[in-house]
Amino acid sequence: MNLETARKQLRGGLLLLAALQTVVSVWQYVFPRSFYDDFPTVRLDPPYNEHLVSDVGGLGLALTAMLFYAAKVMDDRVVRSALIGYLIYAATHFTFHVRHFDHFSVRDALSVGTGLGLEVALAILLLYICGRISRAGVTSPGQPATTSA
């Protein structure tokens, strides 16, 4: 894979994660009751708590900002920190849900598990691409490789 392609894939992946996180976080923060009532499978969780849902939405918006900023600047440290933060969030969210499928239909469990698992896998893949770019001698994923004289 050439470096320009890797940078485009990394930026595209960051934007995808940021877009997905934006939709859910805005919904949680701006319309917490609607999120609780209307998001598939959330009704299977414990009773509604507006404070908790809107706080999670606000934290998701902070993560969204980090991902969009990382996609804009494409600085190695910024990209890695945004992806590591996102991976920690996605992995803990995935782990919670796969341990609490008691009241879920098979279809809902597969949908939630697959969707959340794909977020974890995408974050890991993007960290891998970022590492490949760094190992190729590029100081920042958004910058061209430098050659030694």
Side-chain angles (χ1 to χ4, degrees):
M1 166 184 344
N2 77 39
L3 291 176
E4 188 57 32
T5 300
R7 282 192 286 274
K8 285 180 183 178
Q9 290 174 339
L10 183 58
R11 178 173 278 128
L14 286 164
L15 290 170
L16 176 62
L17 289 177
L20 293 170
Q21 190 64 43
T22 298
V23 171
V24 173
S25 298
V26 167
W27 190 0
Q28 288 170 321
Y29 189 74
V30 178
F31 305 107
R33 186 70 210 202
S34 170
F35 180 82
Y36 181 82
D37 290 339
D38 302 324
F39 193 89
T41 72
V42 171
R43 69 188 173 284
L44 302 173
D45 289 335
Y48 174 70
N49 179 322
E50 179 180 0
H51 179 213
L52 179 61
V53 174
S54 63
D55 280 358
V56 169
L59 290 170
L61 289 171
L63 192 51
T64 295
M66 290 174 55
L67 291 165
F68 276 122
Y69 183 71
K72 178 178 176 23
V73 301
M74 293 296 287
D75 175 80
D76 183 63
R77 290 171 293 185
V78 173
V79 169
R80 284 178 192 265
S81 64
L83 285 172
I84 289 167
Y86 184 84
L87 180 58
I88 291 167
Y89 164 74
T92 56
H93 191 198
F94 172 78
T95 301
F96 175 85
H97 279 286
V98 299
R99 294 176 55 220
H100 295 88
F101 282 151
D102 302 349
H103 297 74
F104 282 49
S105 69
V106 172
R107 179 178 159 225
D108 286 343
L110 286 172
S111 296
V112 170
T114 301
L116 296 177
L118 286 173
E119 291 177 348
V120 172
L122 181 56
I124 291 169
L125 175 64
L126 294 174
L127 279 168
Y128 171 76
I129 291 171
C130 187
R132 284 195 52 146
I133 292 169
S134 293
R135 284 189 301 279
V138 180
T139 57
S140 179
Q143 302 300 319
T146 55
T147 55
S148 345

